[in-house]
Amino acid sequence: MRVLTARDDALLIELDDLDQAVALYESLRAEPVRGVGVPVPGARTLLVPFRPAAITAHDLAAELRRRPLVRRAATTARTVEIPVRYDGEDLTEVAGLLGWSTEALVHRHTGAAWTVGFVGFAPGFAYLTSDDAELVVPRRPTSRVRVPAGSVALAGPYSGVYPRESPGGWQLLGRTDAPVWDVTRERPALMLPGDLVRFVAVREQAAGAAGGGPAGGHADAPQGRPGAAEGPVTRGRSGAVPDGGPAGGTGLGGGSRPGVEVVGAGVLALVQDLGRPGSEGAGVSASGALDRPSLRAANRAVGNPPDAAVVESVGGLRLRARGAQVLAVTGAVGDLVVRPGPGGAGSGGAPADRPERRPRRGEPFALDDGDELRLAPPAHGVRAYVAVRGGIAVPPVLGSRATDVLAGLGPDPVRPGDVLPVGTPQRGLPATALPATGSPATGSAAAGSPATGSAATGSAPAGRAAAGRAATGRAAIGSVEPGVLPAPGETTVLPIVLGPRDDWFGAAALDRLTGQDWLVTPRSNRVGLRLSGEPVLRSLALAGTELPSEGCVTGAIQVPPDGLPVLFLADHPLTGGYPVIGAVVSDHVALAGQLPAGARIRFVVRAARPADTVPNPAGGTP
């Protein structure tokens, strides 16, 4: 066992093989450790997030090394049957690669005992390994742009089923109607780590005759395992989602109930909250707001719980009140203007009876029925957060109202004409404005102070000076004026920790990572920031090596073969196959989410604290 740093609040445990990774996953799920989140299995690793306030990295590593790496008995595992029509585009080619007939390939694929090792790539996409050591084929040399949902495929030692249409490079053997991913079920993913899977060859009519069962899929579970949820559903972008939005709301649309109408959506406007942590075992990243401190600050200003859903806006926004509402705007805020509507209290039906207002950022303000809020694009930062007292009350998916653009979960981006329903305000939560700029409560710092690490004043470590502004960390987001947020052409210092795969790179590559200003390109989005600069190349000995898929954290700096890093944001894939050279420390991840295209980044390695040190004894774990 090797214990590697994945972030200042996450460890990557490297093991000998997939069986040991699943065994450690099962152990942590059966006997949780206080302060440890949901672990994410990989091909031979386990990503273990933790709260440093509850347990140190050193103590967690010691606890993990004490765990026996023995799988649970097969008799206690859940068994899933997948009916397959073996008519895939690559069936004949794969048989030829293996030197078998197509009939022999189908016989071997259905006769093998498959086990779910981990779930990644997409929600519900399970990586299955078998007891047939000869069922190994290479990926296709060129990925397909479109792989149909339900495709059963092989790649390397793995088999899998594509939950929804997506690009993919695996070899296609056939198709299934089994619903491997269905958010209406209590257990959305049909296959989870540790499950046993059997593929069953069927004819076309047999596979389509789902009847009252789970659309052709069958699972035998021990008593007490969650089954499929029943009841009426509302169909939407993310598939079927349980009905029962507040007061009968079914998401976005018209109607006469109170809410806020979208007049203009800017570049992109999404419903976001604090995400859906806890679903990682099913291949779902937490997602949620990129700048969580700003979301919490907006909710605090209007008296909402901190996890209430808000609108995350990029490039400006126009909202019109339907009924009286209380709002607040935080994050990257441009000019705020409230234009009176014809139906507001005391207006006499004429907008001219009331002047325009300019609310202050972070302070609650009222809108009468028909009043319009106009939010201009910001000069600094990217994302503004608009909270409405009562919260945006679209139906939740997997316990969250957040939109995950990569996984396709949650509501569609909001569009002009959409009416966002608003929930009932909770009692006992007073509205409150943000503290004044520069007060001790904000934790903000003047440019050039040690808290900012301002590159303009040379306070970054020696040799790291860079022209432009270095924005503050967590305290800056949601608590000070937007002028301290990053702007195009300015340089922001982001502290990082190295690992888990910094050993794939030589000293020259590590110097290149931290010795230049990286440009944020226009190809960046909620999945990640794509950076441009002098490439960071792997060591020659590992130049052509493939890294087995392993879990990644938000803030991870992944380096693809071209050497141009991608800094993962909230909607990143749960697992990845390119080495992660380092990660932005947890209290600066929100700042990364406010970096616009054209901004520059200077990475600075943060010195490890004694409690973060997790030495690996020579010879492995006793």
Side-chain angles (χ1 to χ4, degrees):
M1 176 188 292
R2 291 180 68 212
V3 181
L4 308 172
T5 298
R7 201 171 69 181
D8 56 314
D9 58 355
L11 298 178
L12 187 75
I13 313 305
E14 185 179 85
L15 299 145
D16 291 342
D17 52 34
L18 179 60
D19 277 348
Q20 288 189 357
V22 175
L24 186 56
Y25 171 83
E26 291 173 347
S27 173
L28 286 173
R29 298 300 280 164
E31 299 179 45
V33 178
R34 180 177 175 271
V36 171
V38 177
V40 179
R44 54 185 179 88
T45 59
L46 192 69
L47 179 68
V48 184
F50 65 96
R51 288 187 294 110
I55 187 171
T56 66
H58 185 276
D59 289 345
L60 175 57
E63 169 61 29
L64 295 175
R65 287 189 172 105
R66 286 194 288 267
R67 296 290 177 111
L69 302 178
V70 179
R71 294 285 308 276
R72 63 182 175 179
T75 55
T76 66
R78 184 175 184 269
T79 300
V80 179
E81 286 188 357
I82 304 293
V84 182
R85 301 184 296 277
Y86 284 93
D87 57 359
E89 294 181 47
D90 303 320
L91 184 67
T92 301
E93 182 178 346
V94 171
L97 288 171
L98 295 171
W100 303 340
S101 67
T102 56
E103 292 78 9
L105 173 57
V106 172
H107 178 74
R108 298 283 286 267
H109 194 255
T110 56
W114 296 91
T115 302
V116 179
F118 59 101
V119 182
F121 173 66
F125 189 99
Y127 288 74
L128 313 177
T129 59
S130 80
D131 58 352
D132 189 335
E134 295 183 351
L135 268 173
V136 179
V137 296
R139 290 171 54 96
R140 290 180 55 82
T142 303
S143 294
R144 290 184 170 91
V145 175
R146 176 185 174 275
V147 175
S151 295
V152 178
L154 280 175
Y158 302 110
S159 191
V161 181
Y162 284 80
R164 63 184 186 124
E165 182 180 308
S166 66
W170 288 27
Q171 308 275 7
L172 306 184
L173 303 185
R175 297 172 292 161
T176 181
D177 292 328
V180 294
W181 176 255
D182 184 350
V183 295
T184 64
R185 295 188 301 232
E186 185 176 353
R187 171 180 158 142
L190 184 61
M191 296 173 282
L192 291 177
D195 287 348
L196 304 180
V197 178
R198 188 166 69 92
F199 292 103
V200 180
V202 295
R203 296 180 178 179
E204 185 83 23
Q205 60 267 29
H218 175 72
D220 297 318
Q223 186 175 5
R225 293 296 293 264
E230 299 180 356
V233 297
T234 301
R235 297 284 171 178
R237 169 177 181 266
S238 57
V241 301
D243 195 63
T250 58
L252 312 182
S256 59
R257 62 170 299 190
V260 288
E261 178 184 352
V262 180
V263 180
V267 176
L268 180 66
L270 303 172
V271 176
Q272 293 293 347
D273 56 19
L274 293 180
R276 43 184 68 86
S279 300
E280 290 87 352
V284 180
S285 292
S287 186
L290 294 194
D291 178 355
R292 296 187 177 200
S294 285
L295 177 142
R296 292 188 180 99
N299 277 322
R300 184 169 64 247
V302 298
N304 284 343
D307 58 348
V310 307
V311 179
E312 181 183 83
S313 166
V314 176
L317 184 70
R318 291 172 60 193
L319 299 175
R320 181 179 296 131
R322 288 200 175 186
Q325 306 293 344
V326 177
L327 285 74
V329 186
T330 61
V333 181
D335 288 340
L336 284 173
V337 177
V338 172
R339 300 191 67 181
S347 69
D353 289 346
R354 290 180 295 153
E356 289 186 349
R357 291 179 287 144
R358 293 183 177 273
R360 292 186 60 185
R361 173 184 176 273
E363 293 186 354
F365 57 93
L367 295 184
D368 285 328
D369 182 40
D371 286 358
E372 185 177 304
L373 168 67
R374 296 190 175 190
L375 170 61
H380 293 80
V382 180
R383 294 171 174 87
Y385 292 85
V386 183
V388 184
R389 185 159 174 78
I392 305 299
V394 296
V397 177
L398 300 182
S400 169
R401 296 177 168 89
T403 297
D404 184 332
V405 298
L406 181 67
L409 293 174
D412 282 327
V414 301
R415 298 170 297 179
D418 286 341
V419 177
L420 305 177
V422 175
T424 302
Q426 294 192 13
R427 296 182 178 181
L429 293 172
T432 178
L434 292 175
T437 303
S439 71
T442 67
S444 63
S449 74
T452 67
S454 172
T457 62
S459 60
R464 310 295 190 200
R469 185 193 320 275
T472 64
R474 178 170 54 186
I477 309 299
S479 61
V480 296
E481 293 301 318
V484 304
L485 293 177
E490 296 178 348
T491 297
T492 295
V493 174
L494 290 181
I496 65 171
V497 292
L498 294 178
R501 299 299 175 188
D502 53 309
D503 57 352
W504 281 50
F505 303 87
L510 294 175
D511 286 343
R512 182 167 287 182
L513 175 71
T514 58
Q516 64 176 306
D517 291 348
W518 294 94
L519 178 67
V520 178
T521 72
R523 298 173 59 208
S524 303
N525 53 29
R526 283 183 50 89
V527 176
L529 301 179
R530 294 185 176 272
L531 308 181
S532 177
E534 291 296 318
V536 174
L537 301 178
R538 303 178 191 176
S539 300
L540 289 177
L542 296 169
T545 304
E546 287 194 14
L547 177 70
S549 291
E550 57 191 28
C552 299
V553 298
T554 302
I557 305 167
Q558 189 185 67
V559 184
D562 64 5
L564 298 178
V566 178
L567 198 167
F568 278 164
L569 298 179
D571 290 357
H572 68 87
L574 196 63
T575 60
Y578 296 137
V580 171
I581 194 171
V584 175
V585 297
S586 56
D587 62 3
H588 278 65
V589 168
L591 180 58
Q594 290 286 11
L595 287 162
R600 295 183 177 276
I601 299 173
R602 176 63 65 108
F603 295 120
V604 175
V605 178
R606 194 192 73 177
R609 296 166 297 191
D612 296 332
T613 305
V614 283
N616 292 289
T621 304

